[in-house]
């Protein structure tokens, strides 16, 4: 009739079958991602804490250095978003630009960097007085070595205070063009 092997097989099937049937009808399978299978614009493919990035010139000199407590990369936006970024950029004459902001983002090809929220740019030349630029937003174009804002900005240097709406900074030339509504004040020591 039935061999012992067949009896064991039937018992095993009797035990496993209800579990498989319950599992198949209960819908408790692995959770599928909600929405479409296409990645949405808010998806992050990687993030870093306490990130530090160093960029070098083609000649092998330090071009700029970025630090941020939190970096998130969004591949569909082709950019990284930074929390409280800080950067330093040496000048050819031996000075240093230091920048900080509440937040920022960098496009993947490094052609544009946006800083926003309490933006500060400190210029510490090797000789001469230091200067500070403050504004609400600043866009930096590293390949052209310039920065620009259309927002109100304030420049303070050696007793001088200048306010403007919009400006362009030419880092290589250590020059700033004030775009509109320029007002200045000099406080003699």
């Amino acid at each position: 009739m039935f061999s012992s092997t067949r009896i064991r097989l039937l018992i095993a099937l009797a035990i496993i079958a209800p579990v498989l049937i319950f599992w198949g009808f209960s819908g408790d399978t692995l959770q599928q991602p909600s929405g479409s299978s296409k990645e949405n614009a808010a998806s992050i493919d990687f993030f870093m804490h306490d990130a530090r990035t160093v960029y070098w010139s083609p000649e092998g000199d330090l071009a700029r250095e970025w630090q941020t407590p939190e970096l998130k990369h969004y591949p569909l936006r082709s950019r990284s978003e930074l929390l409280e970024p800080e950067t330093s950029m040496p000048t050819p004459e031996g000075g240093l630009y230091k920048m900080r902001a509440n937040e920022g983002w960098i496009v993947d090809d490094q052609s544009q960097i946006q800083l926003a929220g309490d933006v500060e740019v400190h210029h510490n030349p090797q000789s001469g007085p230091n200067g500070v630029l403050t504004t609400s937003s600043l866009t930096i174009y590293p390949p052209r070595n310039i920065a620009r804002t259309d927002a109100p900005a304030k420049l303070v240097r050696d007793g001088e205070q200048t306010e403007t709406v919009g400006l362009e900074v030419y880092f290589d030339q250590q020059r700033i063009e004030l775009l509109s509504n320029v007002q200045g004040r000099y406080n003699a020591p």
Side-chain angles (χ1 to χ4, degrees):
M1 239 182 353
F2 290 109
S3 69
S4 64
T5 307
R6 281 190 172 185
I7 292 176
R8 286 185 204 146
L9 183 60
L10 287 173
I11 292 173
L13 281 174
I15 294 172
I16 294 174
V19 173
L20 292 175
I21 291 170
F22 176 76
W23 184 34
F25 288 115
S26 70
D28 289 338
T29 59
L30 293 176
Q31 293 226 343
Q32 299 296 319
S34 61
S36 69
S37 62
K38 208 173 189 186
E39 181 179 343
N40 65 34
S43 294
I44 299 170
D45 63 345
F46 71 87
F47 66 92
M48 290 187 264
H49 289 284
D50 298 323
R52 179 176 172 246
T53 307
V54 179
Y55 299 91
W56 305 95
S57 72
E59 296 79 30
D61 298 322
L62 177 65
R64 67 186 179 280
E65 180 178 346
W66 285 93
Q67 296 179 30
T68 180
E70 185 177 294
L71 177 147
K72 295 177 183 174
H73 184 258
Y74 296 86
L76 287 182
R77 296 178 189 170
S78 298
R79 71 182 197 186
S80 295
E81 294 186 1
L82 313 170
L83 177 66
E84 299 176 352
E86 294 182 10
T87 187
S88 59
M89 294 172 38
T91 65
E93 296 78 28
L96 185 67
Y97 285 99
K98 287 189 169 189
M99 296 177 240
R100 64 148 307 279
N102 293 341
E103 60 186 351
W105 52 262
I106 302 173
V107 296
D108 286 350
D109 68 0
Q110 305 294 315
S111 63
Q112 184 177 347
I113 300 163
Q114 178 71 44
L115 299 177
D118 297 325
V119 179
E120 294 178 7
V121 179
H122 296 264
H123 179 217
N124 302 309
Q126 190 164 6
S127 63
N130 295 344
V132 178
L133 160 68
T134 55
T135 186
S136 61
S137 67
L138 185 70
T139 304
I140 304 162
Y141 302 94
R144 300 185 339 219
N145 218 9
I146 65 169
R148 178 177 171 71
T149 186
D150 292 325
K154 180 169 39 171
L155 300 157
V156 178
R157 181 179 156 194
D158 199 30
E160 297 175 13
Q161 178 175 311
T162 306
E163 295 180 10
T164 181
V165 175
L167 57 79
E168 292 181 350
V169 179
Y170 297 86
F171 294 111
D172 286 347
Q173 301 169 17
Q174 297 183 28
R175 179 173 63 93
I176 298 175
E177 281 189 22
L178 309 175
L179 300 181
S180 67
N181 298 336
V182 178
Q183 297 180 5
R185 182 173 59 218
Y186 178 75
N187 298 322

